[in-house]
Amino acid sequence: MTNVPEIFGSDVFNDAVMKDRLPSDAYRELKSTIETGQALDVELANVIAHAMKDWAVEKGATHFTHWFQPMTGFTAEKHDSFISPEDGGRIIMHFSGKELVKGEPDASSFPSGGIRATFEARGYTAWDPTSYAFIKDNTLCIPTAFFSYSGEALDKKTPLLRSMEAVSRQAMRILKIFGNDTGVKQVFSNVGCEQEYFLIDRELFNKRPDLIYTGRTLFGAKAPKGQEMDDHYFGAIKPKVKAFMSDLNINLWKLGVLSKTEHNEVAPAQHEMAPIFETTNIATDHNQLTMELMRKTAQKHGLECLLHEKPFDGVNGSGKHNNWSLATDTGVNLFEPGKTPSQNAQFLLFLVATIKAVDDYQDMIRLSVASAGNDHRLGANEAPPAIVSIFLGEELTAILKAIHYGEEYQDEKRKKISLGVNVLPPLPKDTTDRNRTSPFAFTGNKFELRSLGSAASVAGPNTVLNTAVADVLEEFADRLEGSKNLNEDLTILIRETLEAHERIIFNGNGYDESWVEEAKKRGLLNMKTLVDAAPAYINEKNLNLFNKHNVYNELELKSRYDIKLEKYWKTLNIEALTMIDMVRKGYVGAVIGFMDELSDVCAKKEKIGMYSEKSMEAVLLKNVSKNADLMMERLEKLEKSLSEAGNMEESMELARKYRDSVIPAMDKLREVVDELETLIPGDKWPYPSYGDLLYSVV
């Protein structure tokens, strides 16, 4: 039986281990360095490195690596052993403070979006001491930031850390205005990210080139049974899946990941894991580890873990619900409705600041969740629409409306309450049902961003949220600091903000077609694809925002614009080439073979005088032959579209070509191939069917 408290964090060089292994003065100095953000003293770094190495070697580690998160969206690591030569051909295990604090991996082949030339190979990694080192695969992994020779961020973590500093700095100003900063040194953005995924049989996975190359099925007729019965949702977990989940939990717990919840999701073969909240940079690290361990653990159990946002057509895709909040280092959640007038005034200010931030920067929030894969999922009656809006619930909306218009609010006990800020009543928490169609929903004491795709890093969206909210908090603090009548000035500020930004609040059904028209009337953006959203990166308003708060400079933002577009069209190019390969090497032979069999039957029947144009084999042959010709015609159109795209060089032009020409050609080709699958016997079809893939795990 697993002793969870005993194994939890056993592979992590966490605070308890540091306190035990470091000299007391070194431990105190390190904690102070982390809290103040100051650079590590060389002597202190050497002491920490020595203790870290001894601990890691005792646990079987032979190598160390600076573990970082480049703009590929994945993690990266270069391993170096601890060995150091001594006289007489002997070696010692050595790890210096310099090696701990800074590394130099080759940066030439990572995406940079034009920040550096390909021949400029130098890049640096710098230890993030706020995220604990850990052991994975007998290697000491040191979480780090990754930046160029000239100082630009080449990763997803560096901007995230900058955004956390920005929102903390401005939130502290607000706390001070209300006199609630006593004992508070920092405000953290916290995240809990629910992770959805599919599990399928690994042998069947290896027979599907589209899954191998792209992570999703590019062809596949619907199975007779999909998710219509909703019987898989929260259903009994199958033994093989449960064994995977148990193994995964143990591996995650050893790494200090707070894996809490597991259950079956709506689609067949779909599941979900949810952790407990952590500070955003650690939650980001842990989610990257979670995805890696999901894949590895699945393979040990003869399974394949699919993290693509839309691996199967006709059933729900997978998201990553990003639950975001702000809290002090003393444990006070700033989105928790309070019990006193002062607490509630502060709560309302943070609430309306977030409302304004989301409205002002809805383009960046939409862009932060955009990808070729997520374009298939958003708005497909399983995920929020591409239109960004905020759900607050009826009661909280009514309270804000009362403040906005200077009216009295009548609570559920029919008692009228005056809403002057100085006499604000206890505010409701969780009194309204959740709205799964809302992209950004307030759920009691946090906001849930539901638009993020399952394969994505959570760093990007949280960098945007932190920075946008920091900007509004700065504006509010500038206005309220030194106020001679805080209650009056606060009331005016909240009313003005609500009046200017109430358009972003929508408590209705985001799937309803009428919402598209309503959102348009409100002036909200409807950016259906990544191509529509990408220009937000180079919008002057957004350039100013991120530069002002030192999160991205102009070069860093423009590089991400290029990288986003390049990844988009390259993803679609790989998918299109895979479709062509599967048709030419698999489907064509299967279709011709089946037509040959049907032709033989027709010829034999004709020879004995039993042939009829209305016979089963004659009608079937005609249908298969017609669709086969159509398949080749559409295949040629797809190849032509790809050829035309090959003559283009500019990223946006390429992306538009793939969106407007290549994707429609892919959809048309899939349509006819899927129709052929329904006409040809399964034992003659070259690849496993949807039924095989979705119902193979028991």
Side-chain angles (χ1 to χ4, degrees):
M1 185 172 180
T2 303
N3 187 328
V4 179
E6 185 176 299
I7 68 167
F8 187 83
S10 58
D11 287 340
V12 182
F13 194 74
N14 56 29
D15 189 70
V17 176
M18 288 190 285
K19 193 171 186 178
D20 180 57
R21 291 196 169 245
L22 293 174
S24 57
D25 56 341
Y27 172 76
R28 287 193 300 271
E29 192 175 344
L30 174 60
K31 295 290 286 185
S32 175
T33 299
I34 293 173
E35 290 173 0
T36 60
Q38 298 297 315
L40 276 179
D41 174 80
V42 175
E43 290 185 10
L44 175 61
N46 282 327
V47 172
I48 297 167
H50 182 74
M52 194 180 285
K53 180 264 298 179
D54 285 350
W55 169 81
V57 170
E58 287 173 19
K59 297 187 74 65
T62 57
H63 289 67
F64 69 92
T65 182
H66 276 201
W67 186 79
F68 58 102
Q69 298 170 37
M71 289 184 285
T72 57
F74 302 100
T75 58
E77 47 196 71
K78 181 189 78 171
H79 297 187
D80 288 294
S81 71
F82 288 120
I83 65 171
S84 181
E86 275 197 324
D87 293 338
R90 301 175 64 85
I91 60 102
I92 59 169
M93 303 298 267
H94 178 75
F95 184 49
S96 70
K98 182 180 179 181
E99 290 171 312
L100 167 65
V101 173
K102 189 174 182 179
E104 188 185 337
D106 186 341
S108 61
S109 296
F110 288 109
S112 71
I115 286 180
R116 60 220 319 280
T118 303
F119 62 82
E120 294 175 322
R122 198 178 293 276
Y124 298 102
T125 49
W127 180 33
D128 170 18
T130 64
S131 187
Y132 298 131
F134 56 91
I135 293 174
K136 177 174 68 76
D137 300 328
N138 295 325
T139 301
L140 173 66
C141 298
I142 302 156
T144 57
F146 181 46
F147 53 94
S148 72
Y149 180 75
S150 49
E152 285 84 14
L154 295 174
D155 66 345
K156 291 180 175 290
K157 169 167 268 196
T158 303
L160 177 63
L161 291 171
R162 294 169 180 169
S163 75
M164 292 174 67
E165 290 180 5
V167 77
S168 176
R169 187 163 53 248
Q170 303 307 329
M172 286 295 296
R173 293 176 65 192
I174 298 296
L175 294 181
K176 187 174 183 179
I177 289 169
F178 286 96
N180 293 329
D181 61 327
T182 304
V184 180
K185 296 179 181 178
Q186 197 171 1
V187 171
F188 292 107
S189 65
N190 293 324
V191 164
C193 41
E194 305 163 31
Q195 178 72 55
E196 294 177 341
Y197 60 97
F198 281 81
L199 288 176
I200 63 172
D201 182 87
R202 183 159 173 76
E203 287 188 11
L204 296 178
F205 168 86
N206 286 328
K207 295 177 181 178
R208 292 281 313 213
D210 47 1
L211 286 174
I212 292 172
Y213 295 135
T214 74
R216 76 180 183 103
T217 54
L218 302 172
F219 299 103
K222 291 181 180 180
K225 180 177 183 286
Q227 62 188 56
E228 300 88 348
M229 304 301 291
D230 296 324
D231 53 334
H232 189 259
Y233 192 47
F234 278 25
I237 300 173
K238 295 175 181 177
K240 198 166 187 178
V241 175
K242 180 59 181 174
F244 156 83
M245 289 179 171
S246 297
D247 198 4
L248 175 66
N249 282 332
I250 290 172
N251 290 329
L252 290 175
W253 290 334
K254 286 180 178 178
L255 290 170
V257 179
L258 294 161
S259 177
K260 177 73 173 177
T261 303
E262 59 192 29
H263 63 83
N264 290 343
E265 256 299 335
V266 178
Q270 188 184 33
H271 314 278
E272 181 177 304
M273 169 268 182
I276 297 172
F277 275 68
E278 299 176 290
T279 54
T280 306
N281 64 316
I282 295 176
T284 300
D285 289 353
H286 283 175
N287 185 249
Q288 292 289 346
L289 275 174
T290 297
M291 291 191 288
E292 178 185 337
L293 285 172
M294 280 180 168
R295 294 187 182 101
K296 286 183 178 179
T297 306
Q299 291 177 11
K300 291 179 183 179
H301 290 263
L303 304 171
E304 189 69 30
C305 177
L306 304 180
L307 292 171
H308 193 283
E309 295 84 355
K310 190 71 174 177
F312 300 102
D313 189 40
V315 299
N316 279 9
S318 296
K320 180 156 19 205
H321 303 158
N322 187 91
N323 296 282
W324 174 87
S325 68
L326 296 174
T328 68
D329 57 359
T330 57
V332 177
N333 185 342
L334 301 179
F335 288 119
E336 185 83 50
K339 297 180 180 179
T340 68
S342 175
Q343 289 173 342
N344 277 321
Q346 179 179 285
F347 161 74
L348 285 174
L349 192 64
F350 277 101
L351 183 71
V352 297
T354 305
I355 291 170
K356 174 175 166 55
V358 172
D359 189 22
D360 284 346
Y361 298 101
Q362 54 185 283
D363 54 346
M364 280 303 303
I365 291 172
R366 170 66 183 93
L367 177 56
S368 74
V369 301
S371 69
N374 215 22
D375 280 358
H376 295 294
R377 173 180 162 266
L378 290 181
N381 277 10
E382 62 189 71
I387 303 166
V388 175
S389 64
I390 296 177
F391 169 84
L392 295 178
E394 294 178 4
E395 191 165 4
L396 191 51
T397 301
I399 289 173
L400 292 179
K401 184 178 179 181
I403 296 173
H404 177 188
Y405 294 105
E407 300 171 349
E408 289 186 334
Y409 169 72
Q410 189 167 326
D411 73 1
E412 59 185 6
K413 295 179 181 178
R414 319 304 294 173
K415 178 184 176 184
K416 290 186 177 181
I417 306 170
S418 174
L419 282 180
V421 172
N422 58 329
V423 288
L424 276 171
L427 293 175
K429 174 186 175 183
D430 231 7
T431 60
T432 306
D433 200 1
R434 292 172 67 189
N435 187 338
R436 68 188 297 270
T437 74
S438 175
F440 197 67
F442 185 71
T443 55
N445 59 4
K446 64 185 184 301
F447 283 95
E448 182 180 30
L449 177 63
R450 295 179 57 88
S451 303
L452 188 58
S454 54
S457 165
V458 301
N462 289 297
T463 298
V464 172
L465 282 173
N466 289 342
T467 310
V469 171
D471 192 62
V472 178
L473 292 177
E474 180 182 46
E475 178 187 329
F476 286 3
D478 287 345
R479 184 164 167 177
L480 295 174
E481 283 175 343
S483 171
K484 295 180 180 179
N485 190 333
L486 181 59
N487 286 336
E488 181 179 337
D489 291 343
L490 184 59
T491 302
I492 293 171
L493 174 58
I494 291 175
R495 284 176 178 168
E496 289 179 354
T497 304
L498 291 172
E499 182 174 359
H501 301 283
E502 65 178 345
R503 66 173 185 171
I504 200 75
I505 300 171
F506 177 64
N507 294 326
N509 181 5
Y511 295 162
D512 197 310
E513 291 182 10
S514 64
W515 169 232
V516 177
E517 287 303 315
E518 172 63 24
K520 187 177 181 180
K521 290 178 184 177
R522 295 186 183 194
L524 300 181
L525 300 173
N526 185 7
M527 296 179 287
K528 295 181 179 180
T529 69
L530 178 147
V531 181
D532 302 315
Y537 266 134
I538 52 176
N539 179 293
E540 185 176 356
K541 166 181 70 77
N542 298 330
L543 289 171
N544 290 338
L545 167 74
F546 291 106
N547 188 59
K548 173 184 177 182
H549 294 281
N550 193 36
V551 174
Y552 294 113
N553 61 33
E554 185 172 341
L555 182 58
E556 289 169 337
L557 268 182
K558 288 183 175 178
S559 75
R560 281 152 180 80
Y561 167 78
D562 287 333
I563 289 169
K564 199 92 164 177
L565 289 172
E566 183 181 44
K567 186 173 182 179
Y568 176 84
W569 69 258
K570 281 185 174 180
T571 296
L572 294 171
N573 186 63
I574 292 169
E575 290 183 351
L577 291 174
T578 301
M579 292 185 85
I580 293 168
D581 192 62
M582 290 177 72
V583 170
R584 292 204 176 278
K585 295 181 180 178
Y587 294 126
V588 167
V591 172
I592 291 174
F594 186 53
M595 286 195 296
D596 282 346
E597 289 187 21
L598 291 174
S599 297
D600 286 346
V601 174
C602 289
K604 288 176 181 177
K605 278 197 169 186
E606 188 173 17
K607 191 173 183 179
I608 61 176
M610 294 182 64
Y611 176 75
S612 166
E613 289 186 358
K614 295 183 180 180
S615 65
M616 177 192 72
E617 56 277 358
V619 172
L620 186 55
L621 177 58
K622 184 178 180 180
N623 285 341
V624 172
S625 179
K626 179 185 71 175
N627 281 289
D629 291 342
L630 192 56
M631 176 177 72
M632 297 310 296
E633 178 186 321
R634 292 181 178 180
L635 178 68
E636 289 171 4
K637 286 185 177 179
L638 175 57
E639 290 175 326
K640 182 182 178 183
S641 293
L642 282 179
S643 177
E644 291 170 351
N647 295 322
M648 300 175 177
E649 294 183 3
E650 199 271 324
S651 292
M652 178 55 82
E653 184 185 18
L654 264 168
R656 286 181 180 140
K657 177 66 177 178
Y658 275 87
R659 180 194 63 185
D660 299 335
S661 179
V662 175
I663 289 178
M666 291 167 64
D667 291 342
K668 285 292 185 182
L669 179 57
R670 175 174 187 155
E671 183 182 88
V672 68
V673 172
D674 289 357
E675 176 65 21
L676 281 166
E677 184 178 353
T678 67
L679 300 174
I680 296 177
D683 62 343
K684 302 183 187 305
W685 200 242
Y687 306 113
S689 69
Y690 267 26
D692 296 331
L693 294 168
L694 292 171
Y695 294 98
S696 61
V697 179
V698 295

